[in-house]
Amino acid sequence: MRSDPGEGFGEGSGYGYGFGFSEGSGYGFGFGSGEGSGEGSGSGCEGWGDTVGEIDEYNVIHLTPWPYVKVGCQVHSIKHWRKHWRKIAKENNVAIDEQQVEKLLKNIGETQ
């Protein structure tokens, strides 16, 4: 089963202004400092992929043809998910056991 493709949109703008004036003689000294920050947010719907099962109320989607799995807002490589599924489930208060994980991996086509 395939889910609907997602859409995205981005926009940005910037402005800069400068003025300089120099006169005289003299002496020079310099110092520099820099700082930066950033913020981002995003939202989207489920993109292309094959639904291979469920964990709690979340669909498990294999993001074909890539080796990634999406469960709720979590997206990980199959390799990472296989290794860290207990920790990911615990951090997100999701109930799953090893037998369910193996069944999902089999549905994806992954075997140990």
Side-chain angles (χ1 to χ4, degrees):
M1 180 172 122
R2 290 223 181 254
S3 56
D4 294 331
E7 293 183 20
F9 177 77
E11 186 177 314
S13 63
Y15 176 78
Y17 176 79
F19 176 78
F21 178 78
S22 178
E23 179 178 314
S25 63
Y27 171 78
F29 174 78
F31 175 77
S33 176
E35 186 176 322
S37 64
E39 184 177 327
S41 65
S43 63
C45 60
E46 294 181 4
W48 292 106
D50 293 322
T51 301
V52 296
E54 276 188 12
I55 298 175
D56 284 348
E57 72 271 13
Y58 302 107
N59 285 333
V60 178
I61 300 171
H62 177 208
L63 301 176
T64 55
W66 303 280
Y68 289 89
V69 174
K70 178 180 183 293
V71 182
C73 64
Q74 296 282 321
V75 178
H76 298 287
S77 70
I78 295 169
K79 183 178 177 179
H80 179 86
W81 191 61
R82 178 192 297 276
K83 186 174 180 180
H84 301 283
W85 66 268
R86 287 178 181 88
K87 180 181 176 191
I88 295 167
K90 184 177 179 180
E91 288 173 351
N92 291 279
N93 297 317
V94 172
I96 188 169
D97 61 30
E98 191 165 352
Q99 188 176 17
Q100 290 171 293
V101 170
E102 290 303 321
K103 182 178 178 185
L104 290 168
L105 289 169
K106 184 178 178 184
N107 289 348
I108 293 168
E110 289 288 316
T111 56
Q112 295 240 136

